[in-house]
Amino acid sequence: MQISTLSQSLALRSSINSMRAQFDDLQRQLATGIKSDSYAKLGTDRNMVLSLSHQLSQLQTYTKTISQTQMRVQISSDALTRVAQIASSMKTTNITSGFELVNGKQTSAQVTAAMQFDEIINLLNLRVEDRYLFGGRDTQTQPVAVPDAMLNGTGDKAGLKQFIDERAQADLGTDGRGRLELDLTGTTVTLSEDAAPSVFGFKLAAADSSLSNVTVNGPAGAPAEIEVDFTGVPQAGEKLTLDFALPDGTTTRVTLTATTDNPPAAGQFTIGADATATSVNFQAALDTAVQTEANTRLRAASAVEAANNFFDYANGGAPQRVDGPPFGTATALRDGTQADTVFWYSGDQSGVPGNNMIAKIDDGRQLAYGARADQAAIRDTLKVAALMSAVEYTGTDPEESHSYKALTQRIGTTLNFEGTPSVESIVTGLGLTAATLANTQDRHDKMMATANEILGDIQNADSYEVGVKLTTLQTQLEASYQVTAMLSRMSLVNYL
């Protein structure tokens, strides 16, 4: 018969169960390295752990965003660095290259530009992580048309070459005089703009004369005209200078000098026996000069303006086409449509180019970043490469070399990026963005390290301390089990 009381047995059993629970928990701590398997058991540290855990989760999200953004910015920067190198190379090549056709229709500079044109388009159509980099917020649409479509068109859609051809017809006019009309009435030579108001061809800008016995009036009127009235004969060496505005916003100058030579040299007119004969000679010299200027500088300016019409549209606009046919007598431009014109850029056009992508990199902080293919410097680099690729020559017209020189001069001016940020400046902006991302990430790393250290102090179990407690508890448990066993064997005989 056992003599232990029920209360003693229950108390001992409860103590053993409590020690067993502590033993199991210490074994868990030793295995996992974590003090508690629930926030409730952390006591007063619970709120701090919850707060720090939330902060760490947010920082990890920002870190992932920063990492993705850094990759996009770096790839964009590398691509545009190459575009900047191409722009510099084209500028140098245009300055140093001469007019020697290597394939019967283009110079070596043009052949090189065609390869660079392809490369620029490939760079602007870069796709990373299933998103295009240079289309602004529209990351799923290829932003730039392929080279062949852009130059040659596709189906019923006109490309740049067709733009250049139609614009040349409109600017030179049906008679190749740049939409100017030249008349002689008595001894008065009249040079006037096209009778129908037009945006094409030459525009009379100024006239300056040192000719004696000659009255020069204008440009004046609508359409503008200049009258040169010979009341007598001028002296050899005296000059008349006319300034013509060109379609691309530049000007060109024609100077005619009076001479006694017959026939006269280029840029001269022969002084006749009287005013009548001299006015006839002057008209002929002016007619030749106008046609030469039209076939050289006007043709080059026309090609440049055609490229402007093709490339320079924004905010939902459209390429500007000559309103024809007929093109030689056209007077205005019209919007190209998606049905009849290749739109070189199909990306997002909203907001400020280059600040269309948004990354949330910190609490209450968003970073606008990126670059867009239709940014002025990027677009202009692509435009001049396309223009060089599109223009072709026959090699049989001696005036083509002058037209080519006029074209390359304009391309060089465009690549100076006067009044607009250059491609290098866009790359610099991306570099500043990269620095901002790196600095922010560095701050996040420090904050995460501090938070993890505090959490570690609160949550992590000290394996040495846990081991000591386990050993002590194991000894206590063994002693308790022995007492329980002794009590279970105790009887009245044993007790006596």
Side-chain angles (χ1 to χ4, degrees):
M1 175 180 178
Q2 292 182 330
I3 62 173
S4 61
T5 66
L6 178 61
S7 61
Q8 288 177 321
S9 178
L10 291 174
L12 185 58
R13 180 174 298 179
S14 174
S15 176
I16 290 174
N17 288 338
S18 175
M19 285 189 288
R20 183 66 196 178
Q22 291 179 47
F23 188 82
D24 290 343
D25 185 63
L26 287 171
Q27 284 186 316
R28 180 196 59 75
Q29 290 184 43
L30 191 63
T32 63
I34 302 299
K35 288 181 180 178
S36 174
D37 58 359
S38 70
Y39 289 123
K41 296 178 182 179
L42 290 175
T44 57
D45 291 329
R46 177 180 57 204
N47 291 336
M48 180 176 288
V49 169
L50 289 172
S51 176
L52 288 175
S53 297
H54 175 73
Q55 185 178 17
L56 277 173
S57 177
Q58 287 293 103
L59 290 174
Q60 288 165 358
T61 300
Y62 296 145
T63 293
K64 181 178 180 181
T65 299
I66 289 172
S67 178
Q68 291 175 327
T69 305
Q70 284 176 318
M71 178 180 63
R72 293 166 189 159
V73 167
Q74 184 61 55
I75 294 174
S76 298
S77 179
D78 291 343
L80 292 183
T81 297
R82 177 55 187 152
V83 172
Q85 292 170 348
I86 291 173
S88 178
S89 173
M90 282 194 295
K91 183 178 177 181
T92 302
T93 300
N94 283 328
I95 293 173
T96 59
S97 66
F99 185 72
E100 296 178 0
L101 303 183
V102 295
N103 59 5
K105 57 185 179 181
Q106 291 186 316
T107 66
S108 60
Q110 290 180 278
V111 173
T112 300
M115 293 186 288
Q116 293 169 331
F117 172 63
D118 284 3
E119 184 178 358
I120 293 171
I121 291 178
N122 287 332
L123 291 169
L124 296 182
N125 281 332
L126 275 176
R127 195 175 188 182
V128 177
E129 291 185 320
D130 198 35
R131 64 187 295 165
Y132 291 99
L133 295 181
F134 296 105
R137 294 180 182 178
D138 186 353
T139 60
Q140 300 305 304
T141 301
Q142 180 175 295
V144 180
V146 297
D148 184 66
M150 200 183 300
L151 292 181
N152 301 307
T154 176
D156 294 330
K157 299 182 179 183
L160 178 60
K161 288 184 178 180
Q162 187 171 336
F163 268 59
I164 292 172
D165 177 65
E166 293 174 358
R167 179 87 205 200
Q169 293 181 56
D171 283 320
L172 270 67
T174 56
D175 59 3
R177 289 181 171 83
R179 307 296 288 265
L180 295 180
E181 297 177 359
L182 188 60
D183 296 311
L184 174 60
T185 303
T187 60
T188 300
V189 177
T190 303
L191 183 66
S192 59
E193 295 176 10
D194 209 345
S198 167
V199 298
F200 304 111
F202 289 123
K203 301 302 173 187
L204 302 178
D208 182 53
S209 174
S210 65
L211 300 174
S212 56
N213 300 315
V214 177
T215 301
V216 178
N217 295 312
E225 65 178 25
I226 295 173
E227 290 185 346
V228 183
D229 184 16
F230 288 82
T231 58
V233 297
Q235 298 296 311
E238 296 176 342
K239 300 177 181 180
L240 172 68
T241 299
L242 302 176
D243 289 341
F244 299 152
L246 298 171
D248 65 343
T250 61
T251 58
T252 187
R253 175 167 291 179
V254 169
T255 298
L256 295 178
T257 304
T259 181
T260 57
D261 294 341
N262 191 11
Q268 296 180 334
F269 67 94
T270 300
I271 301 170
D274 54 24
T276 300
T278 303
S279 63
V280 171
N281 293 338
F282 176 80
Q283 182 199 29
L286 180 57
D287 190 30
T288 299
V290 166
Q291 291 188 61
T292 298
E293 205 67 19
N295 203 35
T296 53
R297 291 173 181 81
L298 176 59
R299 186 178 290 276
S302 176
V304 170
E305 189 61 13
N308 293 338
N309 295 156
F310 184 81
F311 282 95
D312 297 359
Y313 60 90
N315 299 324
Q320 296 297 292
R321 299 190 59 176
V322 178
D323 192 6
F327 301 108
T329 57
T331 60
L333 295 166
R334 67 170 178 85
D335 288 348
T337 68
Q338 294 284 356
D340 64 19
T341 303
V342 172
F343 281 57
W344 76 272
Y345 178 72
S346 301
D348 167 48
Q349 295 185 55
S350 64
V352 179
N355 288 321
N356 302 95
M357 293 194 208
I358 304 296
K360 187 173 183 181
I361 60 174
D362 206 346
D363 290 340
R365 185 180 183 190
Q366 292 184 326
L367 179 68
Y369 72 98
R372 221 166 70 185
D374 66 336
Q375 282 183 259
I378 301 172
R379 178 201 65 210
D380 286 348
T381 302
L382 177 65
K383 176 168 60 179
V384 297
L387 182 56
M388 286 289 285
S389 303
V391 174
E392 297 179 351
Y393 301 92
T394 65
T396 60
D397 186 345
E399 293 179 345
E400 286 182 336
S401 63
H402 300 294
S403 181
Y404 177 75
K405 182 179 180 180
L407 178 67
T408 56
Q409 287 175 339
R410 285 164 169 77
I411 286 175
T413 299
T414 300
L415 293 176
N416 285 333
F417 301 112
E418 295 179 0
T420 185
S422 65
V423 181
E424 287 92 341
S425 68
I426 298 175
V427 174
T428 299
L430 289 172
L432 295 174
T433 298
T436 298
L437 290 168
N439 291 335
T440 305
Q441 183 60 59
D442 183 60
R443 186 170 66 254
H444 289 343
D445 288 341
K446 292 177 180 177
M447 291 179 66
M448 286 191 291
T450 301
N452 280 318
E453 184 177 353
I454 295 173
L455 283 174
D457 290 343
I458 297 173
Q459 293 182 300
N460 294 343
D462 186 323
S463 59
Y464 176 78
E465 181 182 348
V466 171
V468 171
K469 288 182 178 180
L470 273 172
T471 301
T472 302
L473 195 60
Q474 184 177 12
T475 301
Q476 292 175 344
L477 275 170
E478 289 174 351
S480 297
Y481 286 143
Q482 289 175 355
V483 170
T484 301
M486 292 173 61
L487 290 174
S488 66
R489 293 194 300 272
M490 188 170 288
S491 63
L492 179 60
V493 174
N494 292 332
Y495 177 74
L496 293 174

